[in-house]
Amino acid sequence: GEDVEQSLFLSVREGDSSVINCTYTDSSSTYLYWYKQEPGAGLQLLTYIFSNMDMKQDQRLTVLLNKKDKHLSLRIADTQTGDSAIYFCAESQGGKLIFGQGTELSVKP
Amino acid sequence: AAGVIQSPRHLIKEKRETATLKCYPIPRHDTVYWYQQGPGQDPQFLISFYEKMQSDKGSIPDRFSAQQFSDYHSELNMSSLELGDSALYFCASSLRLAGSRLYEQYFGPGTRLTVT
């Protein structure tokens, strides 16, 4: 989506941390989301963050939000081969989700 | 836990034919969304329904229509199919909480439509 931008590819080694970045434009977005999509599958809701928060941690996932710069990131600690997928950030506009282009994460053993 | 169910999972149609995609939301969810995902693209919002009424409309062609029924399942009807309609069609559902702007949308596995 043109309102939400992500880098297209990221390659990491197993056990390293992965950081996927996203920028958005709608300053009125109150929640921002991260979804994971494996090949040929649906989108799995990973986590979300409220716009007045700076950080949210959920097991291996850490979301950082810089509201001033409209920058969102997803950090995956101890990345595993099973984490290989496309990761989408999304902002909600009145309920509908506006997605970024998706970042393809490749995890090498 | 029950998930969103979509049927059929795969559908092959010819140009100018019609197609009907079905979506069964998670039990007790009151809102249904439809998205279209072209090859290598991000999902694009088509339309949504809350309590059986259309709540928002996105880039849905006039050839497409949708509705939500009394049992909360939804159907997306597509007519005069074109080659460019070939895509993954996702349905998502959520439970709308009063006073909240959190929309936890849970997606189904999608219907892969191929138009030949």
Side-chain angles (χ1 to χ4, degrees):
Chain A
E2 55 190 44
D3 295 336
V4 184
E5 293 191 357
Q6 301 177 237
S7 52
L8 296 182
F9 300 100
L10 177 64
S11 181
V12 301
R13 292 221 170 265
E14 194 173 19
D16 288 350
S17 291
S18 307
V19 179
I20 302 170
N21 295 303
C22 171
T23 57
Y24 63 98
T25 57
D26 188 350
S27 58
S28 66
S29 294
T30 50
Y31 285 92
L32 296 144
Y33 307 80
W34 283 102
Y35 281 84
K36 174 184 180 182
Q37 186 176 32
E38 296 182 66
L43 290 97
Q44 176 192 353
L45 177 61
L46 290 177
T47 188
Y48 57 84
I49 187 167
F50 187 48
S51 59
N52 70 350
M53 297 172 65
D54 297 325
M55 185 183 86
K56 179 180 180 181
Q57 186 155 2
D58 185 358
Q59 300 182 336
R60 292 192 297 124
L61 304 179
T62 303
V63 179
L64 295 177
L65 176 60
N66 181 329
K67 194 173 182 183
K68 174 177 169 288
D69 295 338
K70 298 190 182 68
H71 183 266
L72 181 72
S73 67
L74 174 69
R75 179 178 179 269
I76 306 172
D78 187 24
T79 313
Q80 302 297 307
T81 53
D83 294 324
S84 293
I86 298 176
Y87 291 80
F88 291 95
C89 66
E91 61 178 0
S92 59
Q93 293 180 0
K96 67 185 179 190
L97 293 177
I98 306 299
F99 289 90
Q101 309 95 312
T103 298
E104 182 175 349
L105 175 63
S106 173
V107 183
K108 301 188 186 312
Chain B
V4 177
I5 297 171
Q6 290 188 247
S7 68
R9 295 292 311 276
H10 301 272
L11 191 57
I12 299 175
K13 291 284 184 178
E14 294 187 355
K15 281 193 304 184
R16 293 179 290 276
E17 285 191 319
T18 61
T20 297
L21 279 54
K22 296 185 179 184
C23 169
Y24 298 86
I26 292 171
R28 291 183 296 281
H29 279 192
D30 51 20
T31 308
V32 166
Y33 312 79
W34 286 96
Y35 293 84
Q36 177 192 57
Q37 185 179 32
Q41 297 181 1
D42 55 288
Q44 295 290 314
F45 172 76
L46 292 177
I47 195 166
S48 62
F49 293 87
Y50 167 65
E51 285 290 345
K52 292 151 278 184
M53 299 287 289
Q54 182 181 308
S55 58
D56 204 349
K57 197 170 182 179
S59 50
I60 183 169
D62 292 340
R63 299 177 289 109
F64 295 5
S65 65
Q67 57 183 323
Q68 186 179 29
F69 295 86
S70 58
D71 64 351
Y72 292 95
H73 96 271
S74 178
E75 294 184 3
L76 177 65
N77 299 293
M78 310 159 73
S79 63
S80 303
L81 286 168
E82 302 174 356
L83 295 178
D85 295 329
S86 295
L88 262 173
Y89 290 83
F90 289 108
C91 172
S93 74
S94 69
L95 175 64
R96 186 173 292 191
L97 301 173
S100 171
R101 294 174 71 178
L102 172 61
Y103 299 93
E104 283 187 75
Q105 295 185 28
Y106 293 90
F107 281 71
T111 294
R112 184 173 294 280
L113 173 66
T114 302
V115 181
T116 62

